[in-house]
């Protein structure tokens, strides 16, 4: 389904290339053995009967994550750096950030997670897009991703949205539409309704909500769709315009959905994923079978009482990255690193790395302590 015809510059595109027709970053040449130190199979003999060690001789760096502020890492030298202008990854509390998007002045981005064994590779793996750091929150996990076909499937979770005393329920129905008869990504379908003590208002369903933001060549000057839930109006706003506007409630920009509150915007809008507890246990196969019709009952079952539950963790957006909510094991006590590999584009937007989190030392339930990070430079730079 994907088209891979030429090198795409290392900037997060937030699009499923299978449906949109954009190029993927191609697989690269063999990794430079002088940087990062670990080719495939290096040091492969493990202590469990010869099993492959995914890290081999790859560089390791220990990052003492501060209780406040950031610890920054230069991936090329695999070292902690005090230089606030020259870094690739940063650690801040439970967050891992890239030097790009809203987190830094660079062009860094990342994608993952891949299986831990991906670290053995020496080429850029297939992936549909790279993710720049951006505002995100209740809608962060709205989709499940099929890494084989590079397709995004809505989980059909119902999100609650609160603006002042007004409550709404929102359900994303799909990510794909058509342009001149051809399938295209970032054209959302969504349904929503305002909910009050007297019951829900009429459900509104919108299709072709344009979140393409200029497509694969688009930038921050290209607008995307921002939705006003009370009126069902759709505004076309650039990120800079959205950051100054209190009018909208939700902004759709490629694969990301932002809330106009917290880091997402100035309006104080809050949101919550009402089905958040199910996310960790949902399989791709289960999600693929869901449809707008099969999940209508889920949407209709959300009442004013459900949205008024005092236990709901309402919040605005925060800064999220490709690592958010995935680099630690859900529910671990103390925090434990998830056994995965990530693809990272360095701050220059060009240099590719594999990174993985080997261990935490001194972790608590809400802080990773000292993180042992494994780093390997890989091929594929254009």
């Amino acid at each position: 389904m994907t088209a891979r015809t030429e090198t795409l510059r290392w900037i997060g595109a937030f699009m499923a290339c299978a449906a949109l027709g954009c190029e993927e970053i191609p697989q690269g040449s063999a990794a430079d053995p002088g940087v990062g130190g670990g080719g495939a199979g290096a040091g492969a003999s493990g202590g469990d009967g010869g099993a492959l060690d995914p890290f081999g001789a790859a560089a390791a760096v220990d990052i003492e994550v501060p209780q406040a502020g950031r610890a920054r890492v230069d991936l090329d030298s695999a070292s902690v750096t005090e230089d606030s202008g020259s870094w690739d990854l940063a650690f801040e509390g439970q967050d891992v950030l890239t030097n790009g998007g809203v987190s830094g002045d660079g062009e860094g981005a990342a994608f993952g997670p891949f299986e831990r064994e991906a670290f053995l590779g020496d080429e850029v793996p297939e992936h549909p897009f790279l993710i720049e750091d951006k505002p995100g929150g209740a809608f962060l996990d709205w989709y499940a991703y099929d890494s084989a076909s590079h397709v995004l499937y809505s989980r059909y979770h119902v999100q609650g949205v609160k603006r002042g005393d007004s409550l709404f329920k929102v359900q994303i129905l799909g990510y794909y539409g058509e342009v001149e008869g051809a399938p295209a990504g970032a054209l959302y379908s969504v349904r929503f309704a305002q909910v009050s003590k007297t019951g829900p208002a009429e459900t509104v369903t919108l299709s072709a909500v344009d979140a393409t933001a200029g497509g694969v060549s688009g930038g921050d000057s290209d607008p995307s769709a921002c939705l006003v839930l009370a009126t069902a109006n759709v505004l076309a706003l650039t990120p800079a315009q959205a950051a100054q506007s209190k009018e909208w409630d939700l902004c759709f920009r490629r694969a990301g959905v932002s809330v106009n509150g917290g880091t997402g915007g100035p309006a104080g809008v809050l949101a919550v994923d009402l089905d958040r507890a199910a996310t960790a246990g949902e399989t791709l196969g289960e999600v693929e079978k869901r449809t707008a019709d099969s999940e209508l009952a889920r949407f209709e079952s959300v009442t004013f009482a459900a949205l008024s539950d005092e236990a709901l963790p309402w919040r605005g957006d925060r800064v999220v990255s490709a690592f958010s909510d995935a680099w630690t094991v859900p529910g671990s006590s103390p925090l434990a690193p998830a056994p995965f590999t990530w693809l990272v584009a360095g701050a220059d937007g060009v240099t590719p790395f594999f990174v993985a989190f080997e261990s935490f030392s001194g972790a608590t339930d809400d802080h990773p302590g000292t993180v042992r990070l494994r780093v390997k430079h890989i091929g594929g730079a254009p």
Side-chain angles (χ1 to χ4, degrees):
M1 292 179 67
T2 53
R4 294 184 290 274
T5 59
E6 60 182 351
T7 298
L8 175 63
R9 191 168 181 265
W10 279 69
I11 297 177
F14 296 96
M15 294 183 181
C17 295
L20 200 65
C22 61
E23 299 93 349
E24 291 184 29
I25 300 169
Q27 295 185 13
S29 58
D32 178 358
V35 183
S45 296
D48 54 351
L52 289 177
D53 172 9
F55 299 133
V61 54
D62 292 326
I63 303 105
E64 187 175 341
V65 181
Q67 292 296 326
R70 292 181 177 180
R72 298 176 176 87
V73 178
D74 178 352
L75 293 180
D76 196 52
S77 63
S79 63
V80 175
T81 177
E82 300 296 329
D83 186 348
S84 62
S86 178
W87 57 277
D88 301 298
L89 288 185
F91 292 77
E92 185 172 325
Q94 293 189 49
D95 292 323
V96 180
L97 309 173
T98 61
N99 192 349
V102 299
S103 293
D105 296 329
E107 295 181 354
F111 185 82
F114 296 93
E115 293 301 320
R116 175 63 61 91
E117 289 71 25
F119 204 95
L120 287 164
D122 285 327
E123 296 183 346
V124 174
E126 293 186 9
H127 56 285
F129 46 75
L130 290 173
I131 299 174
E132 292 176 335
D133 291 12
K134 61 186 185 296
F139 289 85
L140 177 62
D141 295 316
W142 74 263
Y143 64 85
Y145 168 63
D146 184 346
S147 60
S149 60
H150 306 308
V151 172
L152 277 62
Y153 293 92
S154 175
R155 296 182 186 274
Y156 289 94
H157 287 190
V158 180
Q159 278 83 12
V161 178
K162 179 192 294 186
R163 175 185 278 267
D165 294 331
S166 297
L167 295 171
F168 301 86
K169 56 182 178 180
V170 179
Q171 189 177 46
I172 295 175
L173 307 180
Y175 181 71
Y176 300 99
E178 288 189 357
V179 174
E180 297 180 351
L187 294 173
Y188 286 78
S189 297
V190 59
R191 62 184 165 211
F192 56 94
Q194 188 166 359
V195 182
S196 66
K197 290 181 180 179
T198 59
E202 182 178 355
T203 297
V204 177
T205 301
L206 300 178
S207 59
V209 176
D210 190 350
T212 54
V216 66
S217 60
D220 286 346
S221 61
D222 292 284
S224 63
C226 295
L227 176 59
V228 183
L229 292 172
T231 62
N233 287 342
V234 178
L235 312 174
L237 301 177
T238 66
Q241 291 170 334
Q244 300 297 318
S245 172
K246 294 184 178 181
E247 187 174 357
W248 59 276
D249 298 300
L250 304 176
C251 268
F252 300 81
R253 191 169 184 85
R254 304 184 181 122
V257 182
S258 298
V259 173
N260 197 346
T263 60
V269 176
L270 306 176
V272 61
D273 182 350
L274 299 172
D275 299 306
R276 62 198 179 281
T279 302
E282 290 175 326
T283 68
L284 178 62
E286 292 170 344
V287 173
E288 286 177 336
K289 295 176 182 177
R290 296 172 184 171
T291 67
D293 288 339
S294 72
E295 304 309 308
L296 177 60
R298 183 202 296 252
F299 176 81
E300 292 181 335
S301 69
V302 174
T303 62
F304 179 81
L307 292 172
S308 302
D309 185 345
E310 293 183 357
L312 291 177
W314 293 97
R315 69 180 184 187
D317 282 358
R318 72 187 199 276
V319 175
V320 298
S321 72
F323 300 92
S324 294
D325 298 334
W327 76 293
T328 59
V329 176
S332 55
S333 179
L335 289 177
F340 299 123
T341 292
W342 274 262
L343 171 67
V344 177
D348 61 3
V350 174
T351 309
F353 300 91
F354 279 141
V355 302
F357 308 99
E358 183 175 6
S359 63
F360 295 167
S361 177
T364 65
D365 288 352
D366 57 7
H367 192 277
T370 297
V371 176
R372 168 153 286 202
L373 178 71
R374 290 285 191 162
V375 181
K376 185 170 79 172
H377 181 279
I378 51 178

